[in-house]
């Protein structure tokens, strides 16, 4: 084991408009992670398998042109100001209606047309990693309040990737952040990830309608295809918010690839996890179900659902959230 994380940065390909982008590389105990200032995104994660070979297991693209071209899948991006969906692209906060950008039919998804995934973040080295920061001005994509937000990527002893989010606001707002990495533990370019074995510490889901908007119910997974409380192979057709049984106290999820022996564990302080099997990938640049997203976050449409955990952030408060992706071999 090393005594710390090796941290380096370098110029990366610029955006189409010439804006400079940097790439940060973190390496420790067999894990190598690359993060871009564009979208504060995770470009790659490389970890060893059972045979000792280190392979990339996060779906990523070789240059910024790729990320600008294939923006819709949000490969590895930090998603905000509001991850997932807001029904009707509006919500009421303290008696005032706020209308945010509709970018999925009539609904808002993943921060709008120019969310956090399409911004270039400031970056600075911190112990064992890098901190990226951004200011989202009042009214951006329709959201109230000037938001100061940061995300810190570090590698813990053993090579676990720790993602820490912090944010403050000068006016009441709503906030839901996630990392949108797709995982294929057999290798990022190995084809479909279906067949990976998944366990989720979640006995309930929030059912959704045809527009992926929650109905407001909490449905038990007992006897349904949504039950991953015991490990089983992942099939197609999931874009589902799971209500985690406990947060920050043991893994919320475990993903295992029997062929390579790689194991991914997810621990989080968030109350939910969106399981997405990327059925709609069309081969450009990845095949359908070429990666599995395990997005730790608050629930979809929480600003319109008082029965869900609140996503309201007020002046004087600090939003703090942590998710850890751990890697091992079985």
């Amino acid at each position: 084991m090393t005594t710390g994380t090796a941290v380096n940065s370098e110029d990366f390909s610029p955006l189409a408009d010439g804006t400079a982008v940097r790439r940060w590389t973190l390496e420790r105990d067999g894990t190598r992670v690359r993060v871009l200032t564009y979208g504060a995104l995770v470009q790659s994660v490389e970890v060893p398998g059972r045979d000792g070979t280190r392979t990339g297991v996060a779906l990523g693209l070789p240059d910024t042109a790729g990320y600008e071209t294939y923006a819709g899948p949000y490969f590895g991006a930090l998603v905000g100001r509001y991850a997932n969906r807001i029904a009707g692209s509006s919500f009421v906060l303290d008696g005032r209606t706020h209308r945010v950008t509709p970018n999925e039919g009539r609904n808002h998804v993943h921060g709008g047309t120019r969310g956090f995934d399409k911004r270039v973040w400031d970056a600075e080295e911190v112990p064992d990693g890098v901190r990226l920061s951004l200011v989202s001005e009042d009214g951006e994509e329709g959201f109230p309040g000037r938001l100061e937000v940061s995300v810190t990527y570090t590698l813990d002893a053993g090579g676990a990737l720790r993602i820490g989010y912090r944010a403050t606001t000068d006016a009441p707002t709503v906030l839901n952040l996630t990392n949108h990495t797709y995982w294929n533990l057999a290798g990022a370019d190995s084809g479909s990830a279906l067949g990976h074995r998944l366990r989720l510490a979640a006995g309930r889901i929030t059912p959704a309608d045809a527009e992926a908007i929650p109905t407001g119910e909490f449905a038990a997974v007992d006897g349904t295809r949504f039950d991953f409380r015991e490990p089983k192979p992942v099939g197609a057709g999931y874009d589902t918010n799971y209500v985690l049984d406990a947060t920050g106290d043991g893994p919320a999820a475990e993903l295992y690839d029997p062929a390579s022996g790689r194991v991914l564990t997810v621990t989080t302080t968030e109350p939910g996890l969106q399981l997405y099997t990327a059925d709609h990938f069309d081969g450009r640049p990845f095949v359908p179900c070429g990666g599995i997203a395990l997005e730790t976050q608050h629930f979809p449409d929480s600003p319109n659902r008082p029965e869900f955990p609140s996503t309201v952030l007020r002046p004087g408060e600090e939003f703090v959230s942590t998710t850890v992706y751990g890697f091992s071999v079985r």
Side-chain angles (χ1 to χ4, degrees):
M1 298 271 179
T2 61
T3 57
T5 302
V7 181
N8 297 286
S9 67
E10 60 188 333
D11 289 333
F12 196 63
S13 55
L15 299 180
D17 66 4
T19 302
V21 175
R22 298 280 291 175
R23 179 167 71 177
W24 290 75
T25 300
L26 318 179
E27 190 162 1
R28 184 174 188 175
D29 296 334
T31 300
R32 179 189 294 143
V33 175
R34 291 190 169 97
V35 174
L36 303 185
T37 55
Y38 178 65
L41 66 84
V42 174
Q43 183 198 17
S44 66
V45 177
E46 300 168 63
V47 293
R50 189 184 294 119
D51 64 359
T53 301
R54 188 160 65 178
T55 299
V57 296
L59 273 55
L61 303 172
D63 52 37
T64 52
Y67 288 103
E68 290 187 282
T69 300
Y70 301 107
Y74 302 91
F75 291 115
L78 190 150
V79 177
R81 185 180 297 197
Y82 199 93
N84 221 307
R85 293 161 178 86
I86 297 176
S89 301
S90 70
F91 60 93
V92 177
L93 178 59
D94 295 341
R96 179 182 174 188
T97 298
H98 297 276
R99 302 193 183 282
V100 293
T101 307
N103 61 322
E104 187 180 68
R106 68 186 189 93
N107 302 316
H108 175 96
V109 66
H110 288 341
T113 56
R114 190 170 182 261
F116 293 176
D117 61 296
K118 298 176 184 67
R119 301 279 301 277
V120 175
W121 296 56
D122 294 328
E124 61 178 332
E125 184 174 346
V126 296
D128 296 320
V130 58
R131 177 182 298 120
L132 299 105
S133 57
L134 181 74
V135 173
S136 176
E137 296 293 350
D138 177 43
E140 219 171 73
E141 299 292 327
F143 289 97
R146 181 181 187 271
L147 189 79
E148 296 185 6
V149 60
S150 70
V151 58
T152 303
Y153 295 102
T154 55
L155 291 181
D156 294 345
L161 172 61
R162 178 177 297 269
I163 306 178
Y165 308 91
R166 290 182 178 271
T168 57
T169 182
D170 68 357
T173 191
V174 296
L175 180 67
N176 192 21
L177 302 177
T178 194
N179 176 271
H180 210 295
T181 294
Y182 297 87
W183 303 97
N184 188 327
L185 301 180
D189 297 315
S190 65
S192 173
L194 299 185
H196 281 40
R197 296 183 65 83
L198 176 65
R199 183 188 65 79
L200 293 174
R204 296 179 297 165
I205 62 170
T206 54
D209 64 19
E211 294 180 295
I213 300 298
T215 63
E217 303 168 272
F218 292 92
V221 300
D222 304 67
T224 73
R225 69 185 184 92
F226 299 102
D227 192 351
F228 286 95
R229 289 174 296 179
E230 295 297 329
K232 70 178 184 181
V234 181
Y238 292 92
D239 190 4
T240 307
N241 175 61
Y242 281 80
V243 180
L244 297 177
D245 294 337
T247 57
D249 184 24
E254 179 184 276
L255 190 66
Y256 169 56
D257 172 41
S260 69
R262 294 185 182 92
V263 180
L264 168 68
T265 58
V266 184
T267 304
T268 186
T269 58
E270 289 294 293
L273 183 148
Q274 187 86 9
L275 169 63
Y276 178 45
T277 49
D279 300 54
H280 298 105
F281 285 2
D282 62 2
R284 298 173 300 169
F286 297 103
V287 302
C289 305
I292 297 170
L294 302 169
E295 307 160 56
T296 60
Q297 56 189 266
H298 272 59
F299 304 165
D301 202 32
S302 291
N304 293 311
R305 294 289 179 181
E307 64 271 33
F308 289 175
S310 176
T311 54
V312 174
L313 180 67
R314 298 186 180 279
E317 300 175 344
E318 183 178 28
F319 172 86
V320 179
S321 176
T322 303
T323 293
V324 180
Y325 293 99
F327 307 97
S328 60
V329 174
R330 183 178 300 160

